[in-house]
Amino acid sequence: MSSIEHIQKEFEEAVEKVRKSLSSESIQTLKVKYLGKKGKISGLMRSMGSISPEERPVFGKAINKLRDLANDSLQNIQDLLQHQEIEKSTSYSSLDPSLPGHRIPTGAIHPLNRVKEDIFSFFTGLGFEIERGREIETDWYNFEALNIPPEHPARDMQDTFYIDDKVVLRTQTSNNQIHVMESRKPPLRIIAPGFVYRADSDASHAPMFQQVEGLVVDKDISFAQLKGTLYIWVRHMFGFDVKLRFRPSFFPFTEPSAEMDVSCSLCKGKGCRVCSQTGWLEIGGCGCVDPNVFQKAGIDAEEYTGFAFGFGIDRITMIKYGIPEIGLLTANDNRFLRQF
Amino acid sequence: MLISLNWLKQYVNINVSVDELANTLTFLGIEVEEIEQQGADITGVVAAQTLSCEAHPDADKLSICKVNDGENEYQVVCGAPNVKSGQTVLFAKTGAKLTGGFKIKKSKIRGVPSEGMICAEDELGLGGSHEGIMTLSSDITPGTPMQEIPGLCDTRMELNITPNRPDALSYIGVAREVAAFYDQELKMPDLRPPKLDAKQTNKDTITLNIESPEDCSLYTGVIINKVKVGPSPTWLVEALQSIGQKSINNVVDITNFVLLESGQPSHAFDLKKITGNTLFVRRAKKGESVLTLDEEIKNLDERDLVIADNAGPACLAGVIGGETTKVDEKTTSLFLEVAYFSPPVVRQQARRHGISTDASYRFERGIDPLHVEAISNYLCRLITDITGGNWTGETLIAKAPEHPISKKLVQLRLSRLSKILGITIDRSQVVAMLEKIDIKEEAGNDLDTLSFTIPGFRPDIEREIDLIEEVARLYNFNNIPDQLPTFELSPTALPEAERLASQIRHHLASQGLFEALSLRFSSHKYLNNLNLPEDSQLFKTVNLKNPLNEEWEIMPSLLMPGLLNAIHRNKNNRELDCRFFEIGKCFYNNKEDRTDKNPGIIEEEKLIIGLSGSWHSVSWNEKGGVVDFYVLKGILENLFKTIGYPRSSKVDFSIASQPFLHPKESMSVLVNNKPIGWFGSVHPNVLSNFGLKDNCYIAEISITGLLEHASSTPVFKPFSNFTSVTREMNIVVGEGVTHETLLSWMPLSKAKNLEEVKLNSIYRGKGLEDNTKALHYSFVYRHPERTLTDKEVNKIQERIAQELTNRPEVSFK
Ligand SMILES: [Zn+2]
């Protein structure tokens, strides 16, 4: 018995020593010395033969206990060593959560195009086709075919840039309506995005801005469906609690014509600076396709009806991101672009 | 159109708040853009009574008054000549705020303490007069705030009237809509002609001759003698003043008043100044001219419609009167014109001569053709009443057969109404709604089709769809339910150009670039900055006829100037690191294709990339990398890989110069041997022309050009699971030998199992001769089915080395 107690004591002292200066070598040495094939604990096992049969079970139990204890102690300092090594394996003595990380440079998509792509995915998901038209247009497509004859006062509604008497920078994306209706047969479901131009420039008007035009032509298309379609779209764009309202207006190529307002998402309709205290933001115009437009495009206005809508992507982007001035969108200022 | 609420109330009772009225008008299609309430910015001004009024001991023109505001008595020094005791006045107490933020303080005036101010109308923003204090009716209770005194503070509304609603361009028109909505009576002025003086003897007359009936289908006139031209009565001055118009004289003021009230323009001639006894409504002859009331000579031609006497044109019809027949203080006899001019004619000449008047604005949109004679009667009566003149008793009328004499009939099918609106509205409701705005149902309709007579003041209603719109407007769009269309399912995809643009956009943003977006306007000034040869195609730009300014006079033929300007602006803001890309359009003339339906202009979509400054952002333990030529080339290579071009289409780079790029740092990009773009370092001269100091790197790639070549999606190639064997080689060559040339000297096609040759570094300098460089390559070998042995790899490497040794240009390091 005393030999077991002796070895146990000796082992425990050795473990303490190794614990103070941990290394994988000293642990290994210890392991070999006590638990190796020729180790001291294994030696005790071998000495079983010289023990009387009566004492043998007690002696055997005591050795097993010592072996388990040794195994545990060694595992313990092994874990300790591993833990110390992990702690050491860093180039930082301590971390500073407030230090910025090293960042791979990232860029950004222009907010206007983010909104544009969002609009595309929404409407393509509904089965609309994207149509891209030209920006410099003949008088025919920009005005006449849209029911705006040369001496119509509606021409005053838009300040037009002219290239010559018969060629203009398009003032609206509605020119696409005509191109599409001339080249295809109904049913039509079209989204036509693009830049449009107005000879006007101040804090809320840019001489160039982006519009999206929608056109649906089929046998039973109604104003009620126009309202429903726009309603699901504004909910997609501005959230489920948005409200939409329609005011009578005038566009030569639609009748009835309406302006649409959404409830101000910043003040939830209570009134703020952005919505000029009205609680509403004007986002675009819409209406049923005027029979004259169908006629000019060669579509039977008795058989087919349709609706069209157009809104400024700039305006929607400004509302969505709280951008106060339209000029910021085209200033190409890092301090602006970085924020998106 | 600016209107005064007080004035509007002359024609209809309004019992709702200003905000509610504005909302109602807006939802009737008459958008209220702005509301301006008088007295809104004023506080502390109340009605008060003057109790006494004594002369100031030390000043002739000042009085010392005692006033009572219903609670207290105050002593006030007042300088107005018309102040008296017993008046009800507007009193600003100490602490009151007047118009323009002016604050009333306790003060001493010539030694006498003054505790406030008795106000004149200009101090309260109620008018322009500063001649004396305002006095009110004595039945107003002292202490009443000025904003609550009935009729004192007016409200002005700016209305946005759409071109289809000429009827709303008048007080009566707006009142009609309000009356219909609130079920109120429309109070029309008395339109009867004046009573005739029995002693009327003057039989002056003018012959009216419409020579151009398609331009003017009705021309009427009355002659009024013994007119006294002079100041207008107060009510008339105030009415005009309420919307910011100046009083001129009684005759002119009356015509202006009636125009605003009814929407019908008119014009008064001095009868004695008319040469001869005939007025002609005719087209002008080339070479004729007229001196108009804006004191300008207008040169006329056959396109102009004029009112002419025997001496020639006297007026630009429907637009502006002439100086020669102008009414002034000496005028005693008038010829008063009320007519119907054709909208396009008036619009053309107003535009051609660059003037828009209240008259031309209404004629171009269409006035009520059925009301011309009634307005003539009404005007005649107002003028005789106010100026004391005598009407001859005769209304001169020239009418073309084309002139409408009765209301139009327009049909409406209820089935069509519900098809367009998506809602069924009762026949009786349709009829009732329209009747309120004077659109009346005719007898003899069948079950579906209804006929309506359209009043003359609604020239915009001509078709069934116009009536449907009226019904929808009166029903209120917001009461129409929301429905969704039912469609056949059909898959859609983005158009190629849009898909590619989106892919480029997402890729470059992930590479650290910011998407720019520039106005698509440019200037020759910028093209001149680009070292371009004089005959460069880029100078043949698409030019704007009416640019907003010189900087925006052309449509861009190159995107680079816009981006260089953007980089310049950013650098000025101490934003030194610029990494931009933009997808935009360039415009080129292509006049051969020009037709009525084709503008003859090519629109080419392009991608531009512009870099300057640091590439990697500087961090606290690493330095930023500065942009250079090969950074830009790397961006392009990555881009082409992402968008799928180097696979089925070949992409090459070749040394090629552009006038605006550095001659030693510029390349062309070729897809299937066709150039589609260029890139490089911006030429130092161009940099300085744009005010830039730091190097800039620009690439321009035609997206339209790219789309002509097929791209492809990646196709999986099996790879080996066995380890690779790598060998390295340091090769020294002269500067003239390109990487590509060097590779071509190696027998790589014979190198079995060679997976990749990587260029690790290029070394120049110490240990090397001048004009030479050392290229360090790694050769990676891998077998698909087993591990390669050193021996077989070495054999191949030796062969490569051997071939290179045979080249006199090559040595090893
Ligand atoms: Zn708001």
Side-chain angles (χ1 to χ4, degrees):
Chain A
M1 277 311 252
S2 64
S3 62
I4 295 176
E5 280 166 11
H6 176 75
I7 289 173
Q8 182 170 346
K9 200 175 168 220
E10 188 192 308
F11 174 74
E12 278 168 357
E13 279 168 10
V15 166
E16 274 318 299
K17 223 176 183 177
V18 170
R19 191 193 291 276
K20 275 173 195 149
S21 60
L22 273 175
S23 72
S24 53
E25 295 81 33
S26 57
I27 294 171
Q28 190 57 30
T29 312
L30 200 62
K31 200 172 175 180
V32 171
K33 191 167 173 190
Y34 291 91
L35 291 166
K37 274 184 188 160
K38 292 173 182 171
K40 293 192 173 178
I41 294 173
S42 314
L44 283 173
M45 294 279 206
R46 278 196 298 276
S47 68
M48 284 277 271
S50 60
I51 305 294
S52 67
E54 307 84 65
E55 281 178 299
R56 216 175 274 169
V58 182
F59 188 76
K61 242 183 206 169
I63 294 173
N64 280 339
K65 204 175 148 196
L66 174 62
R67 194 188 53 203
D68 291 348
L69 182 130
N71 270 325
D72 285 353
S73 299
L74 280 168
Q75 188 59 50
N76 190 301
I77 53 174
Q78 183 74 47
D79 289 351
L80 194 69
L81 171 70
Q82 200 182 353
H83 182 71
Q84 281 184 4
E85 277 176 351
I86 288 170
E87 291 257 298
K88 269 190 241 157
S89 69
T90 167
S91 37
Y92 304 108
S93 50
S94 68
L95 285 184
D96 178 352
S98 62
L99 267 186
H102 303 314
R103 298 186 193 176
I104 292 169
T106 52
I109 293 174
H110 196 281
L112 204 67
N113 283 327
R114 284 178 169 226
V115 171
K116 187 178 86 172
E117 291 194 358
D118 186 21
I119 292 171
F120 283 179
S121 69
F122 179 81
F123 282 106
T124 50
L126 294 182
F128 281 70
E129 286 172 84
I130 310 288
E131 200 62 42
R132 310 167 99 234
R134 52 188 178 219
E135 292 178 18
I136 300 184
E137 191 54 284
T138 55
D139 192 84
W140 169 258
Y141 289 105
N142 195 71
F143 291 123
E144 285 221 39
L146 289 166
N147 202 22
I148 317 174
E151 293 311 327
H152 197 281
R155 292 212 174 187
D156 290 349
M157 290 171 85
Q158 303 157 349
D159 297 313
T160 309
F161 280 116
Y162 289 89
I163 301 296
D164 59 42
D165 288 342
K166 286 285 175 193
V167 175
V168 301
L169 303 192
R170 69 171 170 198
T171 54
Q172 69 243 329
T173 40
S174 308
N175 63 332
N176 285 319
Q177 286 189 25
I178 308 300
H179 286 289
V180 168
M181 287 194 275
E182 274 181 351
S183 57
R184 290 194 231 165
K185 291 274 153 280
L188 300 170
R189 270 170 278 170
I190 303 294
I191 285 289
F195 285 103
V196 300
Y197 300 83
R198 307 274 170 91
D200 193 2
S201 181
D202 60 40
S204 51
H205 298 92
M208 174 188 106
F209 54 96
Q210 189 144 211
Q211 259 189 356
V212 162
E213 181 94 0
L215 173 70
V216 174
V217 178
D218 207 340
K219 284 189 175 155
D220 274 301
I221 297 299
S222 68
F223 192 83
Q225 293 172 355
L226 165 67
K227 286 187 69 194
T229 306
L230 289 171
Y231 186 50
I232 57 168
W233 177 70
V234 295
R235 285 205 303 184
H236 165 83
M237 204 74 217
F238 299 109
F240 269 74
D241 54 353
V242 75
K243 288 194 211 62
L244 184 63
R245 69 175 195 188
F246 294 80
R247 288 180 281 114
S249 188
F250 170 74
F251 306 106
F253 35 92
T254 52
E255 188 155 358
S257 300
E259 298 265 7
M260 48 186 167
D261 301 337
V262 290
S263 54
C264 177
S265 48
L266 286 152
C267 62
K268 301 280 170 227
K270 289 190 195 85
C272 68
R273 200 179 52 86
V274 173
C275 58
S276 319
Q277 309 305 331
T278 61
W280 294 94
L281 295 159
E282 194 179 317
I283 57 164
C286 58
C288 296
V289 179
D290 193 292
N292 285 354
V293 174
F294 277 140
Q295 194 208 329
K296 293 229 159 97
I299 289 176
D300 182 352
E302 270 298 307
E303 189 179 1
Y304 291 102
T305 53
F307 65 70
F309 55 84
F311 33 76
I313 304 185
D314 302 62
R315 182 101 179 107
I316 289 159
T317 306
M318 289 167 74
I319 295 169
K320 194 172 168 87
Y321 297 107
I323 299 165
E325 261 177 60
I326 196 163
L328 284 167
L329 293 173
T330 49
N332 296 335
D333 190 324
N334 264 331
R335 297 168 299 181
F336 173 80
L337 297 172
R338 255 203 304 270
Q339 298 184 25
F340 299 94
Chain B
M1 184 178 72
L2 190 63
I3 63 161
S4 142
L5 190 57
N6 281 350
W7 188 346
L8 182 65
K9 285 176 177 169
Q10 305 293 310
Y11 311 101
V12 61
N13 288 334
I14 295 170
N15 305 318
V16 296
S17 71
V18 171
D19 285 343
E20 197 199 315
L21 178 69
N23 200 49
T24 299
L25 286 172
T26 296
F27 281 90
L28 285 168
I30 300 171
E31 188 191 354
V32 178
E33 284 190 323
E34 229 180 292
I35 302 173
E36 184 194 318
Q37 279 177 285
Q38 281 183 337
D41 56 340
I42 290 172
T43 55
V45 177
V46 298
Q49 258 186 328
T50 52
L51 302 173
S52 66
C53 216
E54 285 158 28
H56 192 292
D58 295 328
D60 289 348
K61 290 183 178 165
L62 298 179
S63 328
I64 302 168
C65 307
K66 289 242 156 59
V67 297
N68 184 328
D69 71 350
E71 284 178 18
N72 299 304
E73 263 184 51
Y74 303 89
Q75 176 175 289
V76 187
V77 177
C78 180
N82 64 336
V83 65
K84 279 186 227 128
S85 72
Q87 287 170 322
T88 303
V89 296
L90 284 166
F91 175 60
K93 291 187 271 194
T94 306
K97 227 171 75 195
L98 304 191
T99 179
F102 179 66
K103 254 192 154 171
I104 301 295
K105 292 180 204 137
K106 248 186 197 170
S107 62
K108 266 187 183 174
I109 298 170
R110 298 269 177 112
V112 178
S114 181
E115 305 170 281
M117 188 168 97
I118 303 173
C119 302
E121 61 178 31
D122 67 334
E123 288 153 344
L124 300 173
L126 299 176
S129 168
H130 193 73
E131 277 168 25
I133 55 164
M134 281 186 82
T135 55
L136 306 171
S137 152
S138 58
D139 51 9
I140 293 163
T141 320
T144 312
M146 70 173 269
Q147 289 84 352
E148 290 169 24
I149 297 170
L152 182 69
C153 294
D154 197 1
T155 297
R156 298 202 291 186
M157 292 185 183
E158 182 64 47
L159 306 181
N160 175 18
I161 314 280
T162 50
N164 60 326
R165 292 298 304 276
D167 64 298
L169 288 170
S170 68
Y171 278 96
I172 291 172
V174 175
R176 183 184 295 115
E177 290 281 316
V178 175
F181 187 85
Y182 289 111
D183 270 324
Q184 295 279 338
E185 185 202 344
L186 176 66
K187 292 182 272 186
M188 286 291 283
D190 182 355
L191 299 181
R192 283 173 301 174
K195 289 205 181 88
L196 271 182
D197 189 337
K199 285 177 281 178
Q200 175 65 257
T201 52
N202 193 322
K203 286 294 172 203
D204 278 337
T205 193
I206 289 275
T207 308
L208 303 179
N209 186 347
I210 302 179
E211 290 186 358
S212 179
E214 63 281 4
D215 300 332
C216 171
S217 54
L218 177 60
Y219 193 89
T220 75
V222 290
I223 291 170
I224 303 168
N225 293 310
K226 294 189 182 160
V227 166
K228 269 198 207 103
V229 177
S232 292
T234 316
W235 68 266
L236 183 52
V237 175
E238 284 178 350
L240 294 174
Q241 209 173 55
S242 71
I243 55 158
Q245 288 202 0
K246 271 203 189 118
S247 168
I248 296 164
N249 60 47
N250 48 11
V251 174
V252 174
D253 287 359
I254 293 164
T255 58
N256 285 341
F257 177 85
V258 172
L259 177 145
L260 295 166
E261 185 183 44
S262 70
Q264 169 71 56
S266 58
H267 181 64
F269 296 74
D270 184 329
L271 182 72
K272 303 242 164 84
K273 292 181 187 166
I274 294 175
T275 309
N277 291 320
T278 311
L279 279 179
F280 300 91
V281 185
R282 63 166 170 87
R283 292 294 182 106
K285 296 172 190 122
K286 202 167 172 72
E288 283 186 325
S289 66
V290 59
L291 176 62
T292 46
L293 290 171
D294 54 0
E295 293 173 349
E296 270 184 47
I297 294 175
K298 306 275 188 308
N299 293 314
L300 307 171
D301 61 32
E302 304 78 13
R303 294 172 297 174
D304 292 303
L305 184 71
V306 295
I307 313 301
D309 59 15
N310 285 335
C315 267
L316 200 52
V319 181
I320 192 165
E323 278 285 336
T324 53
T325 53
K326 175 182 162 180
V327 172
D328 58 28
E329 275 66 41
K330 292 178 195 136
T331 302
T332 55
S333 295
L334 300 176
F335 173 82
L336 190 65
E337 160 204 296
V338 185
Y340 180 87
F341 297 112
S342 142
V345 171
V346 174
R347 182 178 153 77
Q348 278 172 39
Q349 57 194 11
R351 272 212 346 199
R352 199 159 48 240
H353 296 288
I355 27 174
S356 175
T357 58
D358 280 344
S360 69
Y361 196 81
R362 284 164 178 78
F363 278 127
E364 2 178 303
R365 281 159 177 76
I367 56 152
D368 184 346
L370 306 178
H371 229 54
V372 173
E373 288 161 68
I375 296 297
S376 172
N377 289 338
Y378 174 50
L379 263 166
C380 181
R381 189 167 52 75
L382 283 183
I383 290 184
T384 52
D385 283 356
I386 291 169
T387 68
N390 286 332
W391 175 39
T392 60
E394 186 187 10
T395 302
L396 309 161
I397 298 175
K399 193 183 273 183
E402 298 82 13
H403 190 78
I405 46 167
S406 64
K407 296 177 177 182
K408 283 174 290 192
L409 269 181
V410 178
Q411 295 194 321
L412 170 69
R413 288 165 295 167
L414 293 169
S415 56
R416 185 74 182 168
L417 177 86
S418 63
K419 181 166 173 160
I420 297 281
L421 299 183
I423 178 178
T424 306
I425 305 176
D426 267 6
R427 178 192 186 110
S428 58
Q429 199 184 349
V430 170
V431 170
M433 281 193 295
L434 291 174
E435 189 164 341
K436 280 191 186 170
I437 53 167
D438 265 8
I439 298 174
K440 296 202 176 79
E441 190 194 5
E442 285 292 297
N445 294 319
D446 68 27
L447 277 177
D448 190 41
T449 311
L450 286 73
S451 286
F452 290 93
T453 54
I454 311 299
F457 55 79
R458 291 304 301 268
D460 59 307
I461 301 179
E462 292 183 311
R463 304 170 296 162
E464 184 178 44
I465 191 72
D466 302 324
L467 276 177
I468 293 173
E469 178 173 60
E470 279 307 291
V471 172
R473 177 176 78 87
L474 297 169
Y475 189 82
N476 192 335
F477 293 165
N478 299 293
N479 293 333
I480 295 173
D482 296 337
Q483 289 168 4
L484 286 176
T486 47
F487 292 135
E488 255 177 59
L489 289 177
S490 70
T492 52
L494 289 180
E496 261 310 278
E498 201 64 59
R499 185 200 56 78
L500 181 59
S502 173
Q503 206 182 7
I504 291 173
R505 189 178 288 138
H506 285 261
H507 171 76
L508 290 178
S510 78
Q511 298 281 297
L513 276 70
F514 290 92
E515 186 177 20
L517 200 142
S518 309
L519 289 179
R520 287 184 189 164
F521 300 109
S522 192
S523 164
H524 271 287
K525 183 174 99 184
Y526 299 131
L527 287 176
N528 290 336
N529 279 347
L530 294 174
N531 286 348
L532 297 172
E534 267 177 39
D535 59 348
S536 167
Q537 287 297 315
L538 293 171
F539 282 123
K540 296 185 177 134
T541 52
V542 175
N543 302 335
L544 293 178
K545 244 177 93 178
N546 55 334
L548 285 180
N549 58 50
E550 262 182 28
E551 304 254 309
W552 296 343
E553 61 182 355
I554 59 171
M555 300 305 280
S557 53
L558 195 68
L559 297 175
M560 179 170 155
L563 211 58
L564 288 180
N565 282 331
I567 292 174
H568 181 241
R569 280 195 305 275
N570 276 287
K571 300 249 176 188
N572 279 351
N573 292 331
R574 302 298 301 153
E575 285 289 334
L576 302 180
D577 302 335
C578 296
R579 309 190 299 268
F580 293 129
F581 73 97
E582 179 170 1
I583 295 166
K585 269 186 180 175
C586 289
F587 300 85
Y588 310 100
N589 284 307
N590 180 31
K591 299 219 162 101
E592 302 92 77
D593 284 356
R594 171 74 183 269
T595 63
D596 276 354
K597 289 190 163 192
N598 186 334
I601 285 162
I602 295 169
E603 301 183 10
E604 187 174 2
E605 193 129 44
K606 292 197 171 181
L607 163 70
I608 183 163
I609 296 175
L611 308 171
S612 183
S614 288
W615 175 233
H616 292 289
S617 50
V618 183
S619 188
W620 47 269
N621 79 340
E622 59 179 322
K623 279 189 194 147
V626 172
V627 173
D628 76 357
F629 181 86
Y630 286 102
V631 167
L632 180 54
K633 186 163 186 275
I635 289 173
L636 292 174
E637 285 164 347
N638 264 353
L639 174 67
F640 282 118
K641 177 169 185 288
T642 300
I643 62 179
Y645 276 90
R647 283 184 286 269
S648 46
S649 295
K650 192 161 71 86
V651 176
D652 293 303
F653 300 94
S654 74
I655 291 179
S657 194
Q658 297 286 345
F660 37 79
L661 294 183
H662 193 293
K664 293 279 180 192
E665 285 189 26
S666 54
M667 286 190 188
S668 273
V669 183
L670 302 107
V671 175
N672 295 332
N673 301 321
K674 267 179 92 176
I676 56 131
W678 46 260
F679 66 101
S681 172
V682 176
H683 196 288
N685 294 350
V686 175
L687 282 180
S688 77
N689 289 344
F690 280 89
L692 288 160
K693 291 190 191 81
D694 304 344
N695 279 344
C696 290
Y697 298 85
I698 303 271
E700 191 185 89
I701 305 289
S702 167
I703 292 181
T704 311
L706 260 183
L707 287 169
E708 290 169 12
H709 304 279
S711 67
S712 60
T713 42
V715 175
F716 172 75
K717 274 184 238 142
F719 51 83
S720 164
N721 278 323
F722 293 87
T723 41
S724 62
V725 177
T726 302
R727 291 290 179 273
E728 312 212 331
M729 202 182 275
N730 249 315
I731 308 164
V732 179
V733 287
E735 282 289 358
V737 180
T738 66
H739 164 65
E740 196 180 8
T741 312
L742 189 51
L743 291 182
S744 74
W745 290 346
M746 303 177 192
L748 298 179
S749 58
K750 288 175 207 152
K752 263 188 153 181
N753 298 316
L754 177 66
E755 190 176 72
E756 192 188 2
V757 182
K758 268 196 283 196
L759 176 63
N760 297 326
S761 68
I762 300 179
Y763 175 81
R764 294 179 176 88
K766 223 175 166 186
L768 286 183
E769 283 174 38
D770 283 353
N771 282 324
T772 63
K773 56 188 175 185
L775 294 95
H776 177 220
Y777 288 98
S778 294
F779 295 77
V780 182
Y781 294 87
R782 198 194 304 266
H783 194 280
E785 279 142 14
R786 61 180 171 84
T787 307
L788 287 167
T789 63
D790 282 349
K791 209 178 141 195
E792 42 188 344
V793 169
N794 289 347
K795 211 174 144 193
I796 303 169
Q797 278 297 111
E798 276 159 23
R799 202 153 137 199
I800 293 172
Q802 189 56 49
E803 289 263 350
L804 288 173
T805 320
N806 292 342
R807 296 267 171 189
E809 302 94 330
V810 174
S811 61
F812 294 92
K813 204 184 139 204

